[in-house]
Amino acid sequence: MHISLADDIDDAGAQEREANFKAIYGVEVLETQQNNTFAKEKKVRQSFVATWLLRSGVSVTLSFFLQKKIYKYKKVLSNPSRWEVVLKEIRTLVDMALTSPLQDDSIHQAPLEIVSKLLSENNNLTTQDHESIIVAIAPLLENNHPPPDLCEFFCKHCRERPRSMVVIEVFTPVVQRILKHNMDFGKCPRLRLFTQEYILALNELNAGMEVVKKFIHSMHGPTGQCPHPRVLPNLVAVCLAAIYSCYEEFINSRDNSPSLKEIRNGCQQQCDRKPNLPLRLLHTSPDLVSQEATLTESRLKPVIVTSNEIHVEVERNNTANQKMTANVGNDSEPNLIDCLMVSPTCSTMSIELSAQADRILGCYVEILKMLSDYDDWRPALASLLQPIPFPKEALAHEKFTKELKYVIQRFAEDPRQEVHSCLLSVRAGKDGWFQLYSPGGVACDDDGELFASMVHILMGSCYKTKKFLLSLAENKLGPCMLLALRGNQTMVEILCLMLEYNIIDNNDTQLQIISTLESTDVGKRMYEQLCDRQRELKELQRKGGPTRLTLPSKSTDADLARLLSSGSFGNLENLSLAFTNVTSACAEHLIKLPSLKQLNLWSTQFGDAGLRLLSEHLTMLQVLNLCETPVTDAGLLALSSMKSLCSLNMNSTKLSADTYEDLKVFLNCIH
């Protein structure tokens, strides 16, 4: 070994360095002349190098020693003769790894890999041997993930001996560490499978789901905020994988299971399928779709589809549906929720799982319910479930959607926008939980109570817009009218808003809505209030009034409402609310000023909710001052629909650069 120092400029220094290096292993330090300043500085530098070499030498020596010991144990354990000797050697190997001063993951992983290989090559071990080996390596598992083969062994032990004390005492801290620290189950799927089997083993104990509930609570912690951000995503990943596995056999039978198009249009003809596959959907007639569009009395017999674990009963009825029939010849893949909706060729689709799959499904849906009960986890859980990450077979399974309804109810009851907004689709053109659990959706098993609850929470936040009402009028007008007829106040309000905002163009439909409103006391009262407001609005427009108005500073929402109700302001074009205490609540009164073109909200508490309302109704607004208001990107983006804006002041707001660039695309007033 040779070491060079940049500061050594003479041969004597090189010789002294060499002597120093030799002295390291002889535990002897060479003395230099005390009277030579240069020699003193050089001694300090050489002392530093000597210390580094000493530590490095010890590290290398220890590493070599450990590698030699590990190799020895590999040789010993590769030819086991007596298992009591093997177990003793495993304990010694574990102690050596734990007491090693080297901070190297390979030192701790090597014993786990040796044991993993030993177990994979010896399948004739008794259960007692299994548990003894697991207990022996338990100390290493406290800070290290088990290798893939060892995970397989742990999974097997959980399945075969779920009531073993090893599951509770040894596997619990291992699974807790996995859930807290794992970053990607895609790279280590066996860790996910081990976690899944461990939770199922807990469910097999006498207390069953109570034990699982205590485990989930231990992962969350006693406080209101879970300190481990990876726990929830990992638990959801385990749940989704377990639920998927319940329907996996049906899903993997791609050639014999119905595609999205088949579920919507009926099953393929028998000649179009491979004859040897066990899971089949038989087509009774090539012209079934056209026949069902004309027949009104006949009803086809149910078709039973059988596999090892799944029995799918597809019952067809004879209800005509022009929309579904028109899409029979369309080659494009239909929408997921449309596929699961009641159609002329598939009125019900009930899936019966095996006892084992049913047990797994019940356990992990119950865990999703538990997760939804934690307030701090609910926003992230809603976001993870918003894309509906379940197979279509699960969504067609009545038991699954009925059990999952509790989770959707929790989302609908949460007043936080980031939670209940996840009931809607993740993007335009894609259905969400709102459509799935609304009347007519495959998951709806009530008379619309959950649907009304979802509409109520959405309308009460930021979705009181024409776009949302228009979507309801186009797709859910029938259910809305039915619930309003039964006295549901939310649906009565929805119908009144549809009339007030001129959502319905058809006169007959308008008259039907009016009749529905007048059929109940609450509907009659709200419709009369609507008529009074419209008469007042027309009266304001007829009388005219001032064109400019400025409210005194410190005025409130109540002051503005009192002022606007005291006279006629149908001609008001310029309104200044600068330096007042008005909030978004005053938007309800501002939208009743049909001629308003200039609005000054400088230094008020007017926020995002008010901006969304203004963008829907004040289409003639040309000048808007939002300087020093608490508006954010969420509200400012709503202004992109106000094409008439000529001047927009957003100084001293929470406007981001990205939102500014987006607004520039839609509004000409921004340069």
Side-chain angles (χ1 to χ4, degrees), residues 145 177-193 230 233-234 237-238:
H145 287 337
R177 187 179 188 279
I178 291 173
L179 291 175
K180 290 177 181 178
H181 300 288
N182 177 67
M183 298 301 293
D184 186 3
F185 276 133
K187 295 180 180 179
C188 40
R190 294 186 183 179
L191 288 179
R192 189 208 69 231
L193 185 61
R230 291 301 310 167
N234 286 334
V238 171

Side-chain angles (χ1 to χ4, degrees), residues 198-236:
Y198 165 78
I199 293 176
L200 289 176
L202 294 184
N203 192 34
E204 288 295 319
L205 299 177
N206 292 335
M209 288 307 299
E210 285 298 320
V211 181
V212 177
K213 186 175 182 179
K214 291 180 180 179
F215 172 74
I216 299 296
H217 183 71
S218 70
M219 295 307 305
H220 179 274
T223 62
Q225 191 74 24
C226 178
H228 305 287
R230 291 301 310 167
V231 169
L232 177 66
N234 286 334
L235 279 173
V236 173

Side-chain angles (χ1 to χ4, degrees), residues 264-265 289 292-295 317-328 338 341-345:
R264 178 172 181 176
N265 297 329
V289 175
E292 289 183 339
T294 56
L295 296 177
N317 69 0
N318 57 355
T319 306
N321 189 316
Q322 297 297 330
K323 178 180 178 181
M324 306 299 280
T325 307
N327 286 310
V328 172
D338 288 342
M341 294 283 284
V342 177
S343 69
T345 58

Side-chain angles (χ1 to χ4, degrees), residues 589-651:
H589 307 289
L590 297 179
I591 62 176
K592 298 176 183 178
L593 302 174
S595 302
L596 191 62
K597 296 181 180 179
Q598 301 180 31
L599 179 60
N600 188 355
L601 296 169
W602 188 4
S603 190
T604 64
Q605 294 302 310
F606 199 86
D608 294 339
L611 278 187
R612 294 190 185 96
L613 204 55
L614 296 185
S615 65
E616 286 289 324
H617 299 278
L618 296 184
T619 57
M620 301 296 294
L621 197 63
Q622 299 176 359
V623 179
L624 180 59
N625 188 351
L626 298 172
C627 181
E628 297 182 16
T629 57
V631 294
T632 65
D633 290 344
L636 291 171
L637 281 174
L639 300 179
S640 59
S641 62
M642 303 182 71
K643 305 299 183 182
S644 61
L645 275 179
C646 300
S647 175
L648 177 60
N649 187 347
M650 297 178 289
N651 291 333

Side-chain angles (χ1 to χ4, degrees), residues 29-47:
V29 180
L30 294 179
E31 296 291 338
T32 59
Q33 296 181 2
Q34 299 295 325
N35 298 328
N36 193 328
T37 305
F38 177 78
K40 289 182 179 180
E41 294 176 354
K42 190 172 182 179
K43 179 182 177 181
V44 172
R45 291 194 298 270
Q46 289 178 339
S47 176

Side-chain angles (χ1 to χ4, degrees), residues 19 121 206 262 281 335-336 348 362 374 426 439 627 643 658:
E121 294 176 352
N206 292 335
E262 288 179 276
L281 290 175
N335 185 283
L336 173 63
T348 59
Y374 290 93
V426 69
C627 181
K643 305 299 183 182
D658 292 339

Side-chain angles (χ1 to χ4, degrees), residues 231-251:
V231 169
L232 177 66
N234 286 334
L235 279 173
V236 173
V238 171
C239 291
L240 294 180
I243 292 172
Y244 185 92
S245 69
C246 297
Y247 306 92
E248 190 170 11
E249 182 177 351
F250 185 48
I251 295 170

